Every structure is written in C-alpha cells, then in structure tokens.
Amino acid sequence: GFFGAARSSTPVMCCFCGTNLCLSVLEFGVILFQAYILLFWPEGDCSKPAANGPDFCFGAIVKVLSGVVLVFTLPLFGLSFYAWWHSLALWQRLKHGEVLAAGAATVRPMEEHVGLNEFME
C-alpha cells in the first residue's frame, strides 16, 4: 500500500486493496465460525469421566480456545477492513489521475522503475 501511494501506482494500490478485501472476508468467516462454536457447540457432560478417553470435557476446551481465537481475530478484522476501505479511496483517486505524492517521490512512475510495463500490457 505504501509503495502504491508513494509512487502513485494504480496497479499496486489495486493489489493492496484487493488483498485486504480478501483478508477481511476470510477473517469475517472465522469470526462467524467462532461465534457459532461459542453459541451452539455442545459442552457435553463434564461431571463424569469419559469411558474410553481422558478425564476432561472436550466441548469446554473447544469453547475456551474458540473464545481466545475470537478475541484475537476481531481486531485483525477491524484493521484489515480499515486498510481496505482507505486503500479503496486512494485507488479511486489514483484511477482518476490524481498524484498522491509530491516532490521527489514522483520523479519516475513505479512501472518504469520496476519494469512493469511489459506485464501490464
């Protein structure tokens, strides 16, 4: 995202925007799955030991781990969505011909610097 904005490169900014959108959608799916586990996963009967297994309640452990994953995934989703939203705005500005960086940062377009002209045609 930084290089796309600093070099006023529409393709790089579009790639950054699309990557953050995909990441946001995947993280939202993880959040929904973890919420489903927390709300609907059966805990089982923890009062008596399992017949053929260890003496712990598998459902309760799954719910605790799901809660931990949910606590860490929520801020990641927020950051990814924030990055997508603002990179989309920058990409739209670049698409309309606006130069985002002034001064020496725009001496050469990134396509010339990296040699992307051959790949973009």
Side-chain angles (χ1 to χ4, degrees), residues 13-72:
M13 205 66 214
C14 181
C15 181
F16 180 73
C17 179
T19 303
N20 279 300
L21 177 61
C22 291
L23 188 59
S24 295
V25 169
L26 289 173
E27 288 171 345
F28 186 70
V30 168
I31 289 170
L32 288 178
F33 182 68
Q34 299 305 322
Y36 171 78
I37 288 176
L38 285 174
L39 294 174
F40 301 112
W41 191 273
E43 288 186 19
D45 189 6
C46 298
S47 62
K48 35 186 175 169
N52 297 329
D55 294 338
F56 62 83
C57 186
F58 182 72
I61 291 174
V62 168
K63 283 192 170 194
V64 168
L65 292 176
S66 179
V68 170
V69 169
L70 188 62
V71 165
F72 285 107

Side-chain angles (χ1 to χ4, degrees), residues 60-115:
I61 291 174
V62 168
K63 283 192 170 194
V64 168
L65 292 176
S66 179
V68 170
V69 169
L70 188 62
V71 165
F72 285 107
T73 306
L74 284 171
L76 293 175
F77 169 72
L79 289 173
S80 298
F81 188 81
Y82 177 83
W84 168 73
W85 185 261
H86 287 285
S87 64
L88 177 65
L90 290 176
W91 175 73
Q92 289 173 342
R93 288 171 57 187
L94 283 171
K95 192 172 77 170
H96 293 300
E98 187 176 340
V99 177
L100 299 177
T106 59
V107 172
R108 288 188 340 186
M110 187 168 178
E111 288 82 8
E112 293 175 12
H113 181 71
V114 182

